[in-house]
Amino acid sequence: MSDLDASARLAQRDPGQPAPAEPVSTILAVHDDPRIHTLLYDLLGDPRGRVVEVADIGTGVVLAQTLRPDCLLLDAGLGGVHRDVLLDQLRRDPRTRPMPVIVLGAEASTPESIEQALIAGAADYISPPASSAIVAARVRGTLGRAH
């Protein structure tokens, strides 16, 4: 198993539900926050889709380029490359340009940081506190607009 394979965890489905022939949506989540992990599985565990999670930006960029997910969720609090640099890099690459990126804001999100992320290319910015229903609706809405 390669490091890339080891870094990516596919969402586990309920064993009682049959796996679909092909996922309808693939979401790449770049984060290191257990709360985001729980949110992904609780709200986006649609058996017609899949969630791929990675904990570092470098692997996230490689997977975004090769997997070409329908949507990328980016934890604003993740260390490493600055969020706006990553957004710019994704917008410059023809393989990832059409992919919508939703930034999951840090607890200290300011209007300026939200504006900067949107200017840098984020499709949406979700600031805490946001209800689970709102997060799910915004992710599904972004996926709907992308198709």
Side-chain angles (χ1 to χ4, degrees):
M1 180 181 293
S2 73
D3 289 339
L4 186 61
D5 293 335
S7 298
R9 296 185 316 251
L10 295 179
Q12 300 295 312
R13 290 187 178 80
D14 178 348
Q17 291 187 347
E22 281 191 41
V24 173
S25 299
T26 298
I27 298 170
L28 174 59
V30 182
H31 72 91
D32 63 356
D33 186 334
R35 293 172 298 174
I36 294 173
H37 172 80
T38 301
L39 175 77
L40 292 171
Y41 287 84
D42 289 350
L43 298 177
L44 305 173
D46 186 333
R48 296 172 298 146
R50 74 175 169 168
V51 177
V52 178
E53 297 180 88
V54 296
D56 68 275
I57 289 178
T59 303
V61 170
V62 170
L63 281 176
Q65 293 166 336
T66 57
L67 186 62
R68 297 190 188 177
D70 298 295
C71 181
L72 186 146
L73 298 178
L74 175 63
D75 179 3
L78 192 64
V81 177
H82 189 272
R83 174 201 67 216
D84 295 344
V85 172
L86 174 64
L87 288 168
D88 185 58
Q89 182 178 0
L90 294 171
R91 293 297 154 244
R92 291 177 186 265
D93 187 329
R95 296 170 291 180
T96 57
R97 184 177 302 129
M99 178 185 54
V101 176
I102 299 174
V103 176
L104 301 173
E107 306 233 350
S109 297
T110 65
E112 293 79 19
S113 68
I114 296 169
E115 181 181 15
Q116 287 173 344
L118 295 171
I119 289 170
D124 199 355
Y125 193 108
I126 302 174
S127 295
S131 73
S132 299
I134 294 296
V135 173
R138 289 172 76 174
V139 170
R140 289 186 182 117
T142 298
L143 285 168
R145 287 186 295 277
H147 288 116

